[in-house]
Amino acid sequence: MNNISVLMTCPMFPYLEQELETRFNLIKLWNPSSSKPEFFKNYSNFIKAVVGNTKVGADADMIDSLPNLEIVASYSVGLDKIDLDKCKEKGIEVTNTPDVLTNDVADLAIGLALAVLRKICVCDQFVRGGKWIRGDFGLATKFSGKSVGIVGLGRIGSAIAKRAEVFGCPISYHSRSKKPNTNYIYYSNIVDLAANCQILIVACALTEETHHIVDRKVIDALGLKGILINIGRGAHVDEPELVSALVEGRLGGAGLDVFENEPDVPEQLFALKNVVLVPHVGSDTEETSKAMADLVISNLEAYFKGEPLLTPVL
Amino acid sequence: MAPHNNSYPSQHDLPNVLILKLPPSFVIFGEHFFDSAKFRFLKAYESSLPLPQFLLAHAQSVQAILSSGGAPVTADTICLLPNLRLVVTTSQGLNHIDLSECRRRGIAVAGAGTIFSADCADSVVELLIDVLRKVSAANRFVKQGLWSSQGDYPLGSKLGGKRVGIVGLGNIGSEVAKRLEAFGCSISYNSRNKKPSVPYAFYPNVGELAANCDALIICCALTDETYHLINKEVLSALGKDGVIINIARGPIVDEKELVRCLVEGEIRGAGLDVFEHEPDVPHELFALDNVVMSPHNAVFTRESFEDLRKIVVGNLEAFFSNEPLLTAVNLDDQPHFSG
């Protein structure tokens, strides 16, 4: 398959690059030569596959500029950076990396909730800064038993629920529709969910409907006793509203893995002790990155061998 | 002259509960935190008398002591209090109380029971996720504005599938096991005795446990047997990819050796709520991103303190009403810590 040209949209994971390079003719979009107009004149007709991720996917412009594109294999489970309608229209296959990253993302969601309520980042800073010798830290909030509300009870949402349950946390959720076979409490309205839980966790896919699903009303309903955990997409949350609520002390706290304009993070959040910020690392472990990369490779190999795709989206 | 109303005993009629040193609860909540209509506190720390003299002055009246981790109840103290029949402690650990002397004198000890188990177990999970997924370090990275300038953060390590070895499978250890199983970890343990009805693999010694796990969690009591239990050999068995989490007592771990292993990269990382010489923490740890530290405050949540208040007052009131204690410690089962 070394004569098949695959376009990688941005640096993702060295192992993935190496594996793609040994199997295909890998073209890196971020190479200086690739950004020149000649690139598209010379190479665009040859590109049959795009490997994208959460930063640079395959939008309408890119798809239009690659007339022989047959498959988009995303190094992510989220599809918000891929123009799915255009792919459908042109018969382009799309694959993603579900399941292999579910546990890591769920682990981080719980880790962020623990960190915000129990103030571990602040504790660590307190000890590191030599303050323990001079004084006491004060009180944190217990995590076990707190009510958890999950937005989106898909693979990741369910994995979060399964973990939170073991801490004695009552679970409720909001979803497009009620899920059969669960004992969790369903709220058809996200504001009601927020009003009835203490830890609100965003775990749904980003679509037009879920854009800014966490808005001022939801933040107000969550209130002083509540915290927001976002391991979905930055655009799930009205970020300026979230920032005001935190800065003005109207929301109990937040643990955020994603932001509207990554890698830019609102600086007003930096000094807040009830806010924990991590740089979109939900699936960023050695093990999962490799598993995701293997899945991307397997999907591409299957496609070009004429075998069934492992994790097709369309 | 108004008749004396027996329903409201005057302060002088109330039995004394001796407090040797200011407990953390009083520092945070004020000195009325454990107030009750059934007893009053005799605060040794408010007196200008040296402790032995204070005890001599009040020896006959003291039937109960309220102790906290930083206020040891030694044989010397017990010796000066002939009518002492109960020690209530606000801490989970009992290593600051001379349990052998209590047993010899027939003095009951009431502990925290299981009220702190959830917070302790939550602290273990929080520290383990933090070390493996670099939460605190990544939080520092973002808050220093480095994400835009330096780009992506180094990869962490997956929690799911990790082999967790628990040292001490008591109530806290069991709560830890229950939680980490839900994250896809496999559990094994070492304890004084194998637990018959427990589904986890038992290792008769800590070295073997360490050699067969990826995360070693210290949940046992500090006793003469467990002092420096986690030593050079155990840390070496844990190995380069191993993580250690200690929410029990600092002296269970040979801290100098632990620091050396961390500085030289001989183990993957550590999550520590306790240290050998609190509040002193080895400065070498401050520069390490693979270490997460908290100031011995795993149970310092509003909720646990409210539970503590109820149990301390409950135990003391039960004692003075000749009712069974709520959380009596079985002294026959407690190994000693010489301190």
Side-chain angles (χ1 to χ4, degrees):
Chain A
M1 293 182 206
N2 287 96
N3 55 346
I4 296 174
S5 294
V6 174
L7 178 73
M8 197 175 191
T9 63
C10 62
M12 287 169 210
F13 186 36
Y15 169 79
L16 176 58
E17 261 176 65
Q18 285 151 25
E19 292 297 302
L20 287 170
E21 262 164 348
T22 59
R23 290 166 175 74
F24 304 104
N25 176 34
L26 183 66
I27 298 165
K28 301 176 193 179
L29 187 58
W30 66 96
N31 268 349
S33 51
S34 307
S35 55
K36 294 197 180 120
E38 293 92 83
F39 164 79
F40 277 95
K41 223 168 48 166
N42 296 337
Y43 289 107
S44 55
N45 283 344
F46 296 102
I47 290 169
K48 294 198 171 170
V50 165
V51 172
N53 71 351
T54 58
K55 291 188 197 135
V56 185
D59 60 11
D61 284 344
M62 180 182 294
I63 295 169
D64 281 337
S65 67
L66 304 172
N68 293 311
L69 181 62
E70 295 175 31
I71 177 169
V72 174
S74 191
Y75 181 68
S76 73
V77 68
L79 300 164
D80 43 288
K81 288 281 165 73
I82 300 174
D83 191 327
L84 293 172
D85 287 336
K86 196 138 240 215
C87 288
K88 252 187 240 161
E89 180 197 305
K90 294 193 156 196
I92 297 169
E93 296 282 4
V94 178
T95 66
N96 63 349
T97 61
D99 298 319
V100 293
L101 50 64
T102 298
N103 289 324
D104 269 355
V105 178
D107 292 350
L108 184 68
I110 301 292
L112 285 171
L114 282 162
V116 174
L117 286 178
R118 296 182 53 88
K119 304 186 182 175
I120 186 59
C121 304
V122 191
C123 283
D124 181 85
Q125 210 50 47
F126 180 80
V127 175
R128 248 172 239 272
K131 296 210 175 87
W132 191 7
I133 296 190
R134 287 185 290 282
D136 290 302
F137 183 78
L139 290 174
T141 302
K142 188 169 180 169
F143 174 80
S144 280
K146 291 290 181 292
S147 51
V148 170
I150 304 174
V151 184
L153 203 69
R155 286 172 291 244
I156 294 173
S158 301
I160 291 170
K162 192 183 100 176
R163 284 152 175 72
E165 272 189 302
V166 127
F167 291 81
C169 296
I171 311 289
S172 50
Y173 70 102
H174 166 68
S175 209
R176 278 170 299 176
S177 56
K178 191 165 193 268
K179 307 273 173 184
N181 306 324
T182 86
N183 288 328
Y184 308 143
I185 300 169
Y186 175 66
Y187 287 95
S188 56
N189 181 319
I190 189 181
V191 176
D192 292 336
L193 178 70
N196 286 286
C197 73
Q198 288 158 296
I199 304 172
L200 184 69
I201 308 184
V202 181
C204 56
L206 180 64
T207 63
E208 272 170 33
E209 290 81 33
T210 63
H211 181 265
H212 282 196
I213 194 174
V214 177
D215 57 11
R216 170 83 191 230
K217 283 211 204 92
V218 172
I219 292 167
D220 283 347
L222 195 48
L224 260 180
K225 288 230 160 105
I227 68 166
L228 175 72
I229 303 297
N230 191 3
I231 47 84
R233 287 288 179 266
H236 277 127
V237 176
D238 182 339
E239 201 162 272
E241 282 293 350
L242 176 64
V243 173
S244 315
L246 288 165
V247 165
E248 291 166 24
R250 288 182 284 113
L251 179 63
L256 309 171
D257 185 39
V258 288
F259 306 86
E260 288 211 77
N261 298 302
E262 296 169 18
D264 294 325
V265 176
E267 285 186 22
Q268 306 96 302
L269 298 179
F270 291 2
L272 300 180
K273 294 187 172 183
N274 57 341
V275 174
V276 175
L277 308 171
V278 291
H280 202 153
V281 292
S283 57
D284 281 7
T285 63
E286 304 271 0
E287 298 88 338
T288 294
S289 297
K290 181 172 184 297
M292 287 166 67
D294 286 343
L295 190 48
V296 168
I297 300 286
S298 299
N299 272 305
L300 289 173
E301 283 188 326
Y303 177 77
F304 289 113
K305 283 185 194 160
E307 287 163 13
L309 296 171
L310 283 82
T311 48
V313 168
L314 297 176
Chain B
M1 200 160 69
H4 183 63
N5 185 341
N6 287 324
S7 312
Y8 299 98
S10 69
Q11 275 286 302
H12 297 297
D13 295 335
L14 292 179
N16 276 335
V17 177
L18 174 67
I19 306 186
L20 297 165
K21 280 194 198 153
L22 190 66
S25 322
F26 281 12
V27 173
I28 299 170
F29 293 99
E31 300 204 15
H32 296 288
F33 190 58
F34 296 122
D35 274 4
S36 162
K38 306 248 175 91
F39 52 83
R40 66 182 186 121
F41 288 113
L42 190 60
K43 298 168 186 172
Y45 56 89
E46 281 184 345
S47 167
S48 47
L49 289 175
L51 185 62
Q53 275 178 260
F54 181 88
L55 293 178
L56 275 169
H58 295 276
Q60 301 308 318
S61 71
V62 172
Q63 296 179 63
I65 288 180
L66 176 61
S67 168
S68 48
V73 180
T74 61
D76 288 345
T77 300
I78 293 171
C79 196
L80 291 172
L81 301 169
N83 294 321
L84 181 65
R85 290 192 294 127
L86 171 67
V87 175
V88 175
T89 180
T90 60
S91 64
Q92 178 71 56
L94 301 169
N95 51 289
H96 59 295
I97 301 171
D98 192 326
L99 300 173
S100 314
E101 189 62 16
C102 286
R103 190 146 107 257
R104 196 186 68 76
R105 279 269 309 266
I107 297 168
V109 177
T114 60
I115 63 170
F116 291 148
S117 297
D119 266 336
C120 287
D122 290 358
S123 175
V124 168
V125 178
E126 159 183 71
L127 288 168
L128 185 55
I129 295 179
D130 199 322
V131 173
L132 290 176
R133 300 296 302 272
K134 307 177 193 280
V135 176
S136 288
N139 178 58
R140 284 195 287 279
F141 177 78
V142 174
K143 289 185 174 184
Q144 284 161 34
L146 298 176
W147 192 10
S148 338
S149 54
Q150 283 188 19
D152 286 339
Y153 198 69
L155 296 175
S157 179
K158 183 174 174 159
L159 175 58
K162 289 284 187 287
R163 301 165 301 163
V164 166
I166 301 177
V167 182
L169 200 71
N171 202 265
I172 295 173
S174 303
E175 289 293 320
V176 169
K178 189 177 94 178
R179 282 158 175 71
L180 290 178
E181 273 192 305
F183 287 82
C185 297
S186 61
I187 311 290
S188 51
Y189 71 103
N190 166 258
S191 224
R192 276 175 297 157
N193 306 299
K194 186 168 195 245
K195 314 262 170 181
S197 49
V198 137
Y200 315 130
F202 172 74
Y203 286 93
N205 77 61
V206 180
E208 270 186 66
L209 180 71
N212 287 284
C213 75
D214 307 304
L216 191 66
I217 320 280
I218 314 305
C219 292
C220 58
L222 173 60
T223 66
D224 289 339
E225 284 84 36
T226 65
Y227 175 77
H228 277 200
L229 177 68
I230 311 303
N231 57 16
K232 188 182 163 91
E233 284 69 44
V234 174
L235 290 169
S236 174
L238 183 58
K240 268 177 55 78
D241 289 327
V243 170
I244 182 166
I245 306 293
N246 189 4
I247 50 93
R249 284 289 180 267
I252 295 171
V253 175
D254 179 343
E255 196 164 274
K256 274 211 184 77
E257 188 55 31
L258 173 64
V259 172
R260 193 195 63 74
C261 284
L262 286 164
V263 166
E264 294 178 19
E266 286 178 22
I267 61 172
R268 188 199 284 273
L272 308 168
D273 185 47
V274 288
F275 304 84
E276 280 210 73
H277 306 288
E278 297 167 13
D280 289 319
V281 173
H283 286 214
E284 297 93 318
L285 300 181
F286 296 170
L288 301 178
D289 269 355
N290 58 337
V291 179
V292 181
M293 299 170 282
S294 51
H296 197 159
N297 67 347
V299 307
F300 276 54
T301 62
R302 280 167 199 85
E303 295 84 345
S304 273
F305 270 79
E306 180 49 30
D307 290 341
L308 176 67
R309 194 189 62 74
K310 288 188 188 131
I311 223 167
V312 164
V313 174
N315 272 309
L316 288 168
E317 288 186 348
F319 172 72
F320 290 118
S321 311
N322 289 319
E323 279 160 22
L325 295 171
L326 305 179
T327 52
V329 172
N330 179 358
L331 292 176
D332 292 331
D333 191 41
Q334 292 295 324
H336 186 63
F337 177 59
S338 311

